[in-house]
Amino acid sequence: MPRRPLLLHPNHEVPVNTSTESDLQIRFLLPRAGVRGVLVHLDASWRELLSHQHYPPAAAELLGQACTAAVLFTGHTKVDGRLSVQLRSSGPLRALFAECTAAGQLRGIAQLQEGRDAPRDLSSLGDDALLAITIENPGLDPREPQRYQSLVGLQSPTLAEAFEDYFRQSEQLPTRLLLATDGQRAAGLMLQKLPGDEGDADGWNRAGALFDTLGEEELLATEPHQLLHRLFHEEAPERMAERSLHFGCSCSRERVAAMLQSLGEEEATAALADGVAEVRCEFCGQKYQFDTNQIRELFALPSVGLEAPARLQ
């Protein structure tokens, strides 16, 4: 009986670049108000990401929001490597994972109970649901990156509210977040009060009032530069930096070989069907095939020395 292909899961470089001018992250400052912000718009990168998996509506929406949040947060904090947001639960949404690198490379995936969609109210996922933000920067030893992770229980109904709660608790800074997505685009806006007494006394309230005038449809439909001017021109926004974004995956044959070695010879051999073991990356759909002789060679040689993916599906 033919076996289903093994599926590659986080962490894997076969970059796929689908960058366009609309796939953009903009960091800006509202100096009089004492507020910093990040604006993100995803077009081709989001469509490329969606093309590799079929998701039911709520799961696709959450994945778009998670991807947008990951890009927003790389503009909020110093990231030299990669930043990921991850949700795990025992409910119908088993896992939600989105990652953005310092180079603007984006990928993400959602995992569901078979035949289920994600709930619209995330607080219904149960008490064991956790939300994590992980930053991985290069260390002195390239084989040992510096990893920082923050975990928070998921008690809010939406991802945006959950992340707002996270920043209030972890950084004690007022934060506003709007995330929106559809089948063609994903976008997000993040505002945060600068630490200390920067800005005038009413600055955060003014910025929040302007933020409240923005709806999801306008966020998705408006070109980023135009939106920044339309929304905040009275505050004389200063653009600090821009970064183009693209979908990309870091899977490779060498990493797949490392994963098969980590399984052990017996399980790797059991994956053979008609003399071939096939591994498919869940992020980009790339397939890697190993025949019987190649599987034997893997276990006749020392470990390839690359980090294996976290797990297989």
Side-chain angles (χ1 to χ4, degrees), residues 14 24 35 51 75 82 84 99 101 108 114 130 170 195 224 285 295 310:
V14 181
L24 194 63
V35 172
S51 71
R82 61 190 70 212
S84 66
E99 178 186 83
T101 71
E114 189 170 353
L130 286 175
S170 66
I295 293 289

Side-chain angles (χ1 to χ4, degrees), residues 3-228:
R3 289 178 174 268
R4 292 176 60 189
L6 295 173
L7 300 181
L8 218 58
H9 191 71
N11 284 325
H12 313 82
E13 241 146 280
V14 181
V16 181
N17 192 325
T18 56
S19 168
T20 72
E21 291 183 356
S22 294
D23 291 82
L24 194 63
Q25 176 206 75
I26 302 176
R27 293 173 48 221
F28 63 93
L29 186 67
L30 307 180
R32 291 183 303 194
V35 172
R36 62 186 174 187
V38 188
L39 178 62
V40 167
H41 204 279
L42 307 174
D43 280 321
S45 57
W46 172 234
R47 292 191 294 272
E48 174 72 15
L49 190 153
L50 274 184
S51 71
H52 299 295
Q53 293 277 4
H54 174 72
Y55 295 108
E61 183 176 338
L62 281 171
L63 180 58
Q65 293 174 2
C67 289
T68 303
V71 182
L72 285 171
F73 300 158
T74 62
H76 156 77
T77 190
K78 181 174 175 57
V79 176
D80 297 321
R82 61 190 70 212
L83 181 148
S84 66
V85 299
Q86 189 169 10
L87 185 157
R88 290 200 174 275
S89 81
S90 59
L93 178 62
R94 293 300 196 191
L96 186 68
F97 177 89
E99 178 186 83
C100 184
T101 71
Q105 181 171 295
L106 175 69
R107 64 177 182 167
I109 194 169
Q111 294 183 325
L112 302 159
Q113 284 184 358
E114 189 170 353
R116 303 287 300 276
D117 194 0
R120 294 289 181 179
D121 182 349
L122 294 181
S123 62
S124 68
L125 285 172
D127 295 338
D128 66 340
L130 286 175
L131 194 61
I133 298 178
T134 305
I135 297 173
E136 186 177 290
N137 286 328
L140 295 177
D141 184 340
R143 296 170 299 179
E144 297 182 3
Q146 296 177 326
R147 187 176 285 110
Y148 310 91
Q149 186 176 72
S150 297
L151 295 170
V152 62
L154 186 61
Q155 299 175 334
S156 303
T158 69
L159 272 183
E161 290 173 293
F163 285 126
E164 287 179 352
D165 290 343
Y166 164 82
F167 283 110
R168 277 194 295 268
Q169 295 171 19
S170 66
E171 300 188 14
Q172 299 181 339
L173 290 173
T175 303
R176 299 295 304 275
L177 201 63
L178 181 62
L179 305 171
T181 184
D182 58 25
Q184 298 297 312
R185 299 157 296 186
L189 174 64
M190 178 179 177
L191 295 182
Q192 190 169 70
K193 191 178 187 310
L194 287 169
D197 298 324
E198 297 192 46
D200 58 62
D202 192 48
W204 177 249
N205 292 333
R206 288 199 315 275
L210 293 170
F211 180 95
D212 287 335
T213 67
L214 180 64
E216 292 184 8
E217 290 186 8
E218 183 181 8
L219 176 61
L220 286 168
T222 310
E223 191 275 332
H225 298 95
Q226 181 183 354
L227 180 63
L228 183 60

